[in-house]
């Protein structure tokens, strides 16, 4: 049976050779088309995978704009019976929806202000005053602060020792130092260190030819990762420099506690050293101008360090200008808190120090106080007056960040 079938097939194929070759051609064509389909499917699959893994466009970096609402200006704590405040930075002890507790200097002493909000402060309590035979014998101004992992408060303060000299506006001349105040009871009391926090390479006997000297007007903030503490301050020593903003740092241990026993000074190569040197200027005025009164914080919303400060363009005053054009309160940003290369933005135009007692206005000692956890908005807080004769008091304006 099998042999017969084979013979019949052979006879069929041999009878019609054309049919035989056509049969082979059809099989070949079907096989090739199938292979082609498989290859197309493989290539399509690979192309699809690659398009999912490798994006065709790189997302652009987010940029933010600082928007200040000058029409929102309002007085802060003008009816609590104090004057000459804020005379230094402002420290936020607590800030919630119905409770605000801040600290700053008024006159020559330090006070805690409490209320339901910046627009409704109704109580002040003195927490520090000058003490004889100390480096804060004539002035102690607690201000900006940080809190460690145990909720202990560390506030840097501006101190003064007076020598009888007089500055413009009949302000007493001073030798300034940066001190540290510590509170273990949420700002009810403060323990002041017996020695300055930052060592000065020029002592109190150094005569720079002006009524002010030393290191003062400090600001303090944690670094972005909270592994370090940055302290900014104004160097009044002059001696080949203007009066500008410098910085040092301190280390935070693994438990989140700052170690203020060792100060690290910034050299001209942007390297920190525990050797006592004159730290480099990180923000300085250009020409006849000084950068003074810094307030620095790390802003998590824009992922940058931000600084507000005063620019004292004394060249304008010396040239007889009635109104300033460059002097005022400025804002700028930094990626690392050390290099402040981004273009500054002027927020308020006014004289930055009282050059006289009764002849012109001034606005100084700016701060940023955030009103939400994301740090996307808050208040610019500063002090101003029409003349020093009336003193000077705290004011505030609303600000927010908008994404470009």
């Amino acid at each position: 049976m099998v042999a017969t079938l084979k013979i019949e097939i052979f006879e069929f194929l041999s009878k019609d050779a054309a049919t035989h070759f056509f049969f082979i051609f059809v099989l070949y064509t079907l096989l090739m088309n199938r292979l082609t389909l498989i290859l197309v499917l493989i290539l399509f699959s690979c192309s699809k995978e690659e398009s999912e893994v490798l994006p065709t466009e790189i997302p652009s970096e987010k940029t933010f704009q600082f928007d200040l609402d000058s029409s929102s200006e309002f007085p802060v704590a003008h009816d609590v019976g104090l004057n000459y405040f804020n005379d230094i930075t402002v420290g936020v002890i607590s800030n919630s929806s119905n409770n605000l507790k801040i600290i700053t200097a008024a006159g020559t002493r330090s006070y805690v202000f409490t209320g339901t909000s910046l627009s409704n402060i109704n109580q002040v309590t003195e927490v520090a005053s000058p003490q004889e035979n100390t480096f804060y014998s004539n002035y102690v101004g607690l201000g900006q602060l940080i809190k460690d992992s145990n909720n202990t408060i560390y506030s840097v303060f501006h101190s003064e020792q007076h020598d009888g000299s007089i500055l413009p506006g009949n302000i007493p001349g001073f030798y300034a130092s940066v001190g540290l105040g510590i509170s273990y009871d949420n700002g009810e009391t403060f323990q002041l260190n017996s020695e300055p926090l930052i060592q000065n390479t020029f002592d109190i006997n150094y005569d720079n030819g002006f009524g002010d000297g030393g290191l003062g007007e400090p600001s303090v903030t944690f670094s972005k990762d909270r592994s370090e503490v940055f302290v900014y301050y104004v160097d009044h020593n002059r001696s080949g420099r203007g009066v500008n903003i410098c910085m040092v740092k301190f280390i935070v241990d693994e438990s989140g506690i700052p170690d203020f026993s060792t100060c690290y000074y910034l050299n001209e190569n942007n390297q920190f050293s525990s050797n006592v040197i004159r730290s480099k200027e990180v923000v300085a005025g250009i020409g006849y101008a000084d950068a003074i009164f810094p307030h620095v914080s790390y802003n998590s919303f824009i992922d940058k360090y931000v600084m507000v400060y005063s620019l004292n363009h004394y060249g304008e005053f010396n040239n007889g200008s009635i109104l300033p054009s460059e002097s005022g309160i400025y804002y700028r940003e930094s990626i690392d808190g050390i290099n402040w290369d981004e273009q500054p933005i002027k927020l308020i135009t006014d004289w930055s120090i009282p050059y006289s007692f009764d002849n012109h206005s001034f606005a100084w000692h700016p701060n940023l106080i955030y009103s939400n956890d994301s740090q996307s908005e808050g208040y610019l807080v500063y002090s101003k007056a029409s003349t020093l004769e009336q003193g000077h008091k705290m004011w505030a304006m609303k600000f927010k960040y908008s994404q470009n």
Side-chain angles (χ1 to χ4, degrees), residues 76-116:
V76 179
H78 284 204
D79 56 355
V80 295
L82 292 178
N83 203 346
Y84 301 97
F85 71 95
N86 55 294
D87 205 49
I88 197 67
T89 56
V90 176
V92 179
I93 298 172
S94 59
N95 187 9
S96 62
S97 59
N98 59 0
N99 179 266
L100 177 69
K101 188 176 183 180
I102 59 177
I103 185 170
T104 191
T108 63
R109 299 165 181 254
S110 298
Y111 295 85
V112 169
F113 295 66
T114 56
T116 59

mmCIF file of all heavy atoms in Angstrom, residues 76-116:
data_model
loop_
_atom_site.group_PDB
_atom_site.id
_atom_site.type_symbol
_atom_site.label_atom_id
_atom_site.label_comp_id
_atom_site.label_asym_id
_atom_site.label_seq_id
_atom_site.Cartn_x
_atom_site.Cartn_y
_atom_site.Cartn_z
ATOM 1 N N VAL A 76 3.427 96.425 62.357
ATOM 2 C CA VAL A 76 3.528 95.262 63.238
ATOM 3 C C VAL A 76 3.869 95.732 64.651
ATOM 4 O O VAL A 76 4.904 96.375 64.867
ATOM 5 C CB VAL A 76 4.606 94.279 62.746
ATOM 6 C CG1 VAL A 76 4.710 93.081 63.697
ATOM 7 C CG2 VAL A 76 4.304 93.803 61.334
ATOM 8 N N ALA A 77 2.983 95.448 65.605
ATOM 9 C CA ALA A 77 3.221 95.683 67.039
ATOM 10 C C ALA A 77 3.494 97.151 67.368
ATOM 11 O O ALA A 77 4.300 97.462 68.245
ATOM 12 C CB ALA A 77 4.366 94.812 67.536
ATOM 13 N N HIS A 78 2.812 98.060 66.691
ATOM 14 C CA HIS A 78 3.045 99.478 66.943
ATOM 15 C C HIS A 78 2.395 99.978 68.236
ATOM 16 O O HIS A 78 2.670 101.111 68.656
ATOM 17 C CB HIS A 78 2.550 100.310 65.760
ATOM 18 C CG HIS A 78 3.447 100.254 64.581
ATOM 19 N ND1 HIS A 78 3.487 101.245 63.617
ATOM 20 C CD2 HIS A 78 4.372 99.337 64.196
ATOM 21 C CE1 HIS A 78 4.376 100.935 62.689
ATOM 22 N NE2 HIS A 78 4.914 99.761 63.013
ATOM 23 N N ASP A 79 1.551 99.179 68.853
ATOM 24 C CA ASP A 79 0.833 99.647 70.045
ATOM 25 C C ASP A 79 1.193 98.866 71.305
ATOM 26 O O ASP A 79 0.402 98.791 72.244
ATOM 27 C CB ASP A 79 -0.677 99.577 69.810
ATOM 28 C CG ASP A 79 -1.148 98.185 69.421
ATOM 29 O OD1 ASP A 79 -0.288 97.298 69.250
ATOM 30 O OD2 ASP A 79 -2.373 97.985 69.289
ATOM 31 N N VAL A 80 2.414 98.299 71.344
ATOM 32 C CA VAL A 80 2.811 97.521 72.524
ATOM 33 C C VAL A 80 3.719 98.319 73.453
ATOM 34 O O VAL A 80 4.212 97.794 74.455
ATOM 35 C CB VAL A 80 3.515 96.205 72.117
ATOM 36 C CG1 VAL A 80 2.556 95.296 71.374
ATOM 37 C CG2 VAL A 80 4.772 96.485 71.301
ATOM 38 N N GLY A 81 3.970 99.585 73.131
ATOM 39 C CA GLY A 81 4.738 100.439 74.028
ATOM 40 C C GLY A 81 6.240 100.424 73.811
ATOM 41 O O GLY A 81 6.984 100.936 74.646
ATOM 42 N N LEU A 82 6.719 99.864 72.690
ATOM 43 C CA LEU A 82 8.146 99.840 72.399
ATOM 44 C C LEU A 82 8.450 100.691 71.170
ATOM 45 O O LEU A 82 7.571 100.991 70.365
ATOM 46 C CB LEU A 82 8.626 98.403 72.144
ATOM 47 C CG LEU A 82 8.610 97.442 73.332
ATOM 48 C CD1 LEU A 82 9.066 96.050 72.884
ATOM 49 C CD2 LEU A 82 9.501 97.948 74.457
ATOM 50 N N ASN A 83 9.729 101.056 71.027
ATOM 51 C CA ASN A 83 10.201 101.782 69.863
ATOM 52 C C ASN A 83 11.580 101.245 69.494
ATOM 53 O O ASN A 83 12.159 100.447 70.222
ATOM 54 C CB ASN A 83 10.257 103.280 70.156
ATOM 55 C CG ASN A 83 10.197 104.129 68.889
ATOM 56 O OD1 ASN A 83 10.374 103.631 67.763
ATOM 57 N ND2 ASN A 83 9.951 105.423 69.055
ATOM 58 N N TYR A 84 12.075 101.650 68.360
ATOM 59 C CA TYR A 84 13.384 101.224 67.858
ATOM 60 C C TYR A 84 13.442 99.690 67.689
ATOM 61 O O TYR A 84 14.300 99.012 68.237
ATOM 62 C CB TYR A 84 14.512 101.709 68.777
ATOM 63 C CG TYR A 84 14.556 103.208 68.935
ATOM 64 C CD1 TYR A 84 13.965 103.829 70.037
ATOM 65 C CD2 TYR A 84 15.173 103.999 67.979
ATOM 66 C CE1 TYR A 84 13.991 105.212 70.186
ATOM 67 C CE2 TYR A 84 15.212 105.386 68.117
ATOM 68 C CZ TYR A 84 14.618 105.976 69.207
ATOM 69 O OH TYR A 84 14.645 107.351 69.337
ATOM 70 N N PHE A 85 12.485 99.179 66.909
ATOM 71 C CA PHE A 85 12.450 97.741 66.632
ATOM 72 C C PHE A 85 11.873 97.527 65.240
ATOM 73 O O PHE A 85 11.135 98.388 64.743
ATOM 74 C CB PHE A 85 11.615 97.006 67.698
ATOM 75 C CG PHE A 85 10.132 97.259 67.608
ATOM 76 C CD1 PHE A 85 9.293 96.382 66.923
ATOM 77 C CD2 PHE A 85 9.568 98.397 68.182
ATOM 78 C CE1 PHE A 85 7.930 96.614 66.831
ATOM 79 C CE2 PHE A 85 8.211 98.636 68.092
ATOM 80 C CZ PHE A 85 7.388 97.744 67.423
ATOM 81 N N ASN A 86 12.112 96.425 64.539
ATOM 82 C CA ASN A 86 13.154 95.473 64.879
ATOM 83 C C ASN A 86 14.511 96.110 64.603
ATOM 84 O O ASN A 86 14.757 96.649 63.537
ATOM 85 C CB ASN A 86 12.982 94.177 64.080
ATOM 86 C CG ASN A 86 12.921 94.399 62.569
ATOM 87 O OD1 ASN A 86 11.971 95.006 62.048
ATOM 88 N ND2 ASN A 86 13.942 93.905 61.883
ATOM 89 N N ASP A 87 15.378 96.006 65.562
ATOM 90 C CA ASP A 87 16.693 96.637 65.468
ATOM 91 C C ASP A 87 17.760 95.625 65.062
ATOM 92 O O ASP A 87 18.957 95.934 65.094
ATOM 93 C CB ASP A 87 17.047 97.274 66.816
ATOM 94 C CG ASP A 87 18.037 98.410 66.671
ATOM 95 O OD1 ASP A 87 17.815 99.291 65.823
ATOM 96 O OD2 ASP A 87 19.052 98.416 67.405
ATOM 97 N N ILE A 88 17.318 94.437 64.723
ATOM 98 C CA ILE A 88 18.203 93.332 64.332
ATOM 99 C C ILE A 88 17.314 92.335 63.575
ATOM 100 O O ILE A 88 16.167 92.642 63.266
ATOM 101 C CB ILE A 88 18.899 92.717 65.586
ATOM 102 C CG1 ILE A 88 20.098 91.871 65.200
ATOM 103 C CG2 ILE A 88 17.922 91.952 66.439
ATOM 104 C CD1 ILE A 88 21.234 92.667 64.602
ATOM 105 N N THR A 89 17.787 91.135 63.270
ATOM 106 C CA THR A 89 16.924 90.145 62.628
ATOM 107 C C THR A 89 15.771 89.738 63.545
ATOM 108 O O THR A 89 15.773 90.011 64.738
ATOM 109 C CB THR A 89 17.717 88.883 62.249
ATOM 110 O OG1 THR A 89 18.361 88.374 63.427
ATOM 111 C CG2 THR A 89 18.740 89.175 61.176
ATOM 112 N N VAL A 90 14.798 89.053 62.962
ATOM 113 C CA VAL A 90 13.644 88.541 63.709
ATOM 114 C C VAL A 90 13.710 87.022 63.728
ATOM 115 O O VAL A 90 13.888 86.389 62.684
ATOM 116 C CB VAL A 90 12.324 88.999 63.062
ATOM 117 C CG1 VAL A 90 11.124 88.386 63.787
ATOM 118 C CG2 VAL A 90 12.225 90.516 63.062
ATOM 119 N N GLY A 91 13.579 86.431 64.910
ATOM 120 C CA GLY A 91 13.554 84.979 65.047
ATOM 121 C C GLY A 91 12.142 84.493 65.302
ATOM 122 O O GLY A 91 11.407 85.072 66.096
ATOM 123 N N VAL A 92 11.746 83.416 64.614
ATOM 124 C CA VAL A 92 10.400 82.850 64.772
ATOM 125 C C VAL A 92 10.476 81.673 65.740
ATOM 126 O O VAL A 92 11.043 80.628 65.420
ATOM 127 C CB VAL A 92 9.818 82.398 63.425
ATOM 128 C CG1 VAL A 92 8.433 81.789 63.623
ATOM 129 C CG2 VAL A 92 9.753 83.569 62.456
ATOM 130 N N ILE A 93 9.919 81.833 66.913
ATOM 131 C CA ILE A 93 9.897 80.769 67.920
ATOM 132 C C ILE A 93 8.784 79.777 67.615
ATOM 133 O O ILE A 93 8.983 78.556 67.662
ATOM 134 C CB ILE A 93 9.739 81.367 69.333
ATOM 135 C CG1 ILE A 93 10.943 82.264 69.649
ATOM 136 C CG2 ILE A 93 9.595 80.264 70.372
ATOM 137 C CD1 ILE A 93 10.800 83.048 70.946
ATOM 138 N N SER A 94 7.605 80.274 67.295
ATOM 139 C CA SER A 94 6.493 79.415 66.880
ATOM 140 C C SER A 94 5.568 80.214 65.976
ATOM 141 O O SER A 94 5.446 81.435 66.115
ATOM 142 C CB SER A 94 5.717 78.868 68.090
ATOM 143 O OG SER A 94 5.191 79.935 68.876
ATOM 144 N N ASN A 95 4.909 79.495 65.054
ATOM 145 C CA ASN A 95 4.034 80.167 64.101
ATOM 146 C C ASN A 95 2.982 79.173 63.633
ATOM 147 O O ASN A 95 3.279 78.241 62.891
ATOM 148 C CB ASN A 95 4.844 80.690 62.917
ATOM 149 C CG ASN A 95 4.022 81.556 61.976
ATOM 150 O OD1 ASN A 95 2.881 81.907 62.276
ATOM 151 N ND2 ASN A 95 4.598 81.909 60.837
ATOM 152 N N SER A 96 1.759 79.355 64.097
ATOM 153 C CA SER A 96 0.648 78.491 63.699
ATOM 154 C C SER A 96 -0.514 79.361 63.264
ATOM 155 O O SER A 96 -0.394 80.588 63.171
ATOM 156 C CB SER A 96 0.231 77.571 64.853
ATOM 157 O OG SER A 96 -0.219 78.338 65.960
ATOM 158 N N SER A 97 -1.656 78.736 63.005
ATOM 159 C CA SER A 97 -2.789 79.473 62.453
ATOM 160 C C SER A 97 -3.328 80.538 63.395
ATOM 161 O O SER A 97 -3.899 81.536 62.957
ATOM 162 C CB SER A 97 -3.906 78.499 62.086
ATOM 163 O OG SER A 97 -4.322 77.766 63.229
ATOM 164 N N ASN A 98 -3.159 80.345 64.696
ATOM 165 C CA ASN A 98 -3.691 81.335 65.633
ATOM 166 C C ASN A 98 -2.704 81.700 66.734
ATOM 167 O O ASN A 98 -3.099 82.208 67.786
ATOM 168 C CB ASN A 98 -4.992 80.822 66.261
ATOM 169 C CG ASN A 98 -4.787 79.503 66.998
ATOM 170 O OD1 ASN A 98 -3.681 78.976 67.045
ATOM 171 N ND2 ASN A 98 -5.857 78.971 67.564
ATOM 172 N N ASN A 99 -1.416 81.455 66.486
ATOM 173 C CA ASN A 99 -0.412 81.795 67.492
ATOM 174 C C ASN A 99 0.904 82.123 66.818
ATOM 175 O O ASN A 99 1.390 81.378 65.967
ATOM 176 C CB ASN A 99 -0.219 80.630 68.476
ATOM 177 C CG ASN A 99 0.844 80.945 69.523
ATOM 178 O OD1 ASN A 99 2.012 80.587 69.349
ATOM 179 N ND2 ASN A 99 0.448 81.598 70.598
ATOM 180 N N LEU A 100 1.481 83.258 67.188
ATOM 181 C CA LEU A 100 2.776 83.691 66.670
ATOM 182 C C LEU A 100 3.636 84.148 67.840
ATOM 183 O O LEU A 100 3.178 84.890 68.707
ATOM 184 C CB LEU A 100 2.614 84.832 65.668
ATOM 185 C CG LEU A 100 3.913 85.414 65.098
ATOM 186 C CD1 LEU A 100 4.593 84.397 64.181
ATOM 187 C CD2 LEU A 100 3.640 86.713 64.350
ATOM 188 N N LYS A 101 4.886 83.691 67.823
ATOM 189 C CA LYS A 101 5.828 84.072 68.876
ATOM 190 C C LYS A 101 7.167 84.347 68.207
ATOM 191 O O LYS A 101 7.772 83.451 67.620
ATOM 192 C CB LYS A 101 5.948 82.929 69.898
ATOM 193 C CG LYS A 101 6.746 83.259 71.139
ATOM 194 C CD LYS A 101 6.689 82.069 72.113
ATOM 195 C CE LYS A 101 7.401 82.357 73.418
ATOM 196 N NZ LYS A 101 7.340 81.179 74.347
ATOM 197 N N ILE A 102 7.624 85.604 68.265
ATOM 198 C CA ILE A 102 8.862 86.000 67.612
ATOM 199 C C ILE A 102 9.761 86.725 68.603
ATOM 200 O O ILE A 102 9.308 87.169 69.664
ATOM 201 C CB ILE A 102 8.599 86.902 66.385
ATOM 202 C CG1 ILE A 102 7.840 88.172 66.799
ATOM 203 C CG2 ILE A 102 7.839 86.132 65.320
ATOM 204 C CD1 ILE A 102 7.598 89.149 65.658
ATOM 205 N N ILE A 103 11.039 86.850 68.241
ATOM 206 C CA ILE A 103 11.998 87.529 69.106
ATOM 207 C C ILE A 103 12.849 88.478 68.276
ATOM 208 O O ILE A 103 13.229 88.156 67.140
ATOM 209 C CB ILE A 103 12.890 86.512 69.855
ATOM 210 C CG1 ILE A 103 13.812 87.223 70.852
ATOM 211 C CG2 ILE A 103 13.689 85.638 68.897
ATOM 212 C CD1 ILE A 103 14.539 86.280 71.800
ATOM 213 N N THR A 104 13.120 89.656 68.829
ATOM 214 C CA THR A 104 14.000 90.621 68.189
ATOM 215 C C THR A 104 14.430 91.649 69.229
ATOM 216 O O THR A 104 14.063 91.552 70.404
ATOM 217 C CB THR A 104 13.311 91.303 66.986
ATOM 218 O OG1 THR A 104 14.277 92.038 66.246
ATOM 219 C CG2 THR A 104 12.197 92.226 67.431
ATOM 220 N N ALA A 105 15.218 92.618 68.788
ATOM 221 C CA ALA A 105 15.711 93.660 69.684
ATOM 222 C C ALA A 105 14.897 94.933 69.514
ATOM 223 O O ALA A 105 14.471 95.289 68.415
ATOM 224 C CB ALA A 105 17.184 93.945 69.415
ATOM 225 N N ALA A 106 14.689 95.623 70.640
ATOM 226 C CA ALA A 106 14.098 96.958 70.654
ATOM 227 C C ALA A 106 14.959 97.808 71.574
ATOM 228 O O ALA A 106 15.201 97.434 72.722
ATOM 229 C CB ALA A 106 12.665 96.920 71.153
ATOM 230 N N GLY A 107 15.433 98.957 71.038
ATOM 231 C CA GLY A 107 16.386 99.736 71.832
ATOM 232 C C GLY A 107 17.687 98.978 71.953
ATOM 233 O O GLY A 107 18.320 98.627 70.960
ATOM 234 N N THR A 108 18.084 98.659 73.173
ATOM 235 C CA THR A 108 19.321 97.904 73.417
ATOM 236 C C THR A 108 19.054 96.537 74.017
ATOM 237 O O THR A 108 19.999 95.831 74.391
ATOM 238 C CB THR A 108 20.242 98.687 74.370
ATOM 239 O OG1 THR A 108 19.580 98.846 75.646
ATOM 240 C CG2 THR A 108 20.596 100.051 73.801
ATOM 241 N N ARG A 109 17.789 96.104 74.082
ATOM 242 C CA ARG A 109 17.410 94.867 74.765
ATOM 243 C C ARG A 109 16.662 93.931 73.822
ATOM 244 O O ARG A 109 16.250 94.325 72.731
ATOM 245 C CB ARG A 109 16.540 95.196 75.991
ATOM 246 C CG ARG A 109 17.257 96.063 77.014
ATOM 247 C CD ARG A 109 16.306 96.682 78.019
ATOM 248 N NE ARG A 109 17.026 97.530 78.957
ATOM 249 C CZ ARG A 109 17.279 97.213 80.234
ATOM 250 N NH1 ARG A 109 16.826 96.051 80.725
ATOM 251 N NH2 ARG A 109 17.954 98.033 81.013
ATOM 252 N N SER A 110 16.441 92.707 74.272
ATOM 253 C CA SER A 110 15.759 91.698 73.463
ATOM 254 C C SER A 110 14.401 91.365 74.064
ATOM 255 O O SER A 110 14.268 91.231 75.289
ATOM 256 C CB SER A 110 16.604 90.424 73.368
ATOM 257 O OG SER A 110 17.832 90.686 72.737
ATOM 258 N N TYR A 111 13.411 91.214 73.180
ATOM 259 C CA TYR A 111 12.039 90.972 73.608
ATOM 260 C C TYR A 111 11.410 89.852 72.794
ATOM 261 O O TYR A 111 11.692 89.701 71.592
ATOM 262 C CB TYR A 111 11.185 92.237 73.428
ATOM 263 C CG TYR A 111 11.600 93.396 74.298
ATOM 264 C CD1 TYR A 111 12.613 94.265 73.886
ATOM 265 C CD2 TYR A 111 10.978 93.641 75.524
ATOM 266 C CE1 TYR A 111 12.999 95.338 74.666
ATOM 267 C CE2 TYR A 111 11.359 94.711 76.318
ATOM 268 C CZ TYR A 111 12.371 95.559 75.886
ATOM 269 O OH TYR A 111 12.752 96.621 76.672
ATOM 270 N N VAL A 112 10.508 89.112 73.442
ATOM 271 C CA VAL A 112 9.652 88.144 72.766
ATOM 272 C C VAL A 112 8.294 88.796 72.552
ATOM 273 O O VAL A 112 7.693 89.337 73.487
ATOM 274 C CB VAL A 112 9.516 86.845 73.577
ATOM 275 C CG1 VAL A 112 8.408 85.962 73.002
ATOM 276 C CG2 VAL A 112 10.839 86.087 73.594
ATOM 277 N N PHE A 113 7.816 88.761 71.302
ATOM 278 C CA PHE A 113 6.518 89.322 70.923
ATOM 279 C C PHE A 113 5.555 88.157 70.676
ATOM 280 O O PHE A 113 5.887 87.229 69.937
ATOM 281 C CB PHE A 113 6.641 90.136 69.630
ATOM 282 C CG PHE A 113 7.502 91.367 69.729
ATOM 283 C CD1 PHE A 113 8.871 91.271 69.949
ATOM 284 C CD2 PHE A 113 6.942 92.629 69.586
ATOM 285 C CE1 PHE A 113 9.670 92.408 70.025
ATOM 286 C CE2 PHE A 113 7.727 93.772 69.659
ATOM 287 C CZ PHE A 113 9.100 93.665 69.875
ATOM 288 N N THR A 114 4.359 88.225 71.232
ATOM 289 C CA THR A 114 3.380 87.157 71.031
ATOM 290 C C THR A 114 2.034 87.741 70.621
ATOM 291 O O THR A 114 1.681 88.872 70.971
ATOM 292 C CB THR A 114 3.190 86.308 72.304
ATOM 293 O OG1 THR A 114 2.825 87.171 73.392
ATOM 294 C CG2 THR A 114 4.464 85.567 72.653
ATOM 295 N N GLY A 115 1.280 86.959 69.869
ATOM 296 C CA GLY A 115 -0.054 87.345 69.427
ATOM 297 C C GLY A 115 -0.635 86.259 68.555
ATOM 298 O O GLY A 115 -0.091 85.150 68.464
ATOM 299 N N THR A 116 -1.738 86.576 67.908
ATOM 300 C CA THR A 116 -2.371 85.585 67.040
ATOM 301 C C THR A 116 -1.792 85.611 65.627
ATOM 302 O O THR A 116 -1.912 84.643 64.889
ATOM 303 C CB THR A 116 -3.887 85.829 66.964
ATOM 304 O OG1 THR A 116 -4.127 87.150 66.468
ATOM 305 C CG2 THR A 116 -4.523 85.688 68.347
#
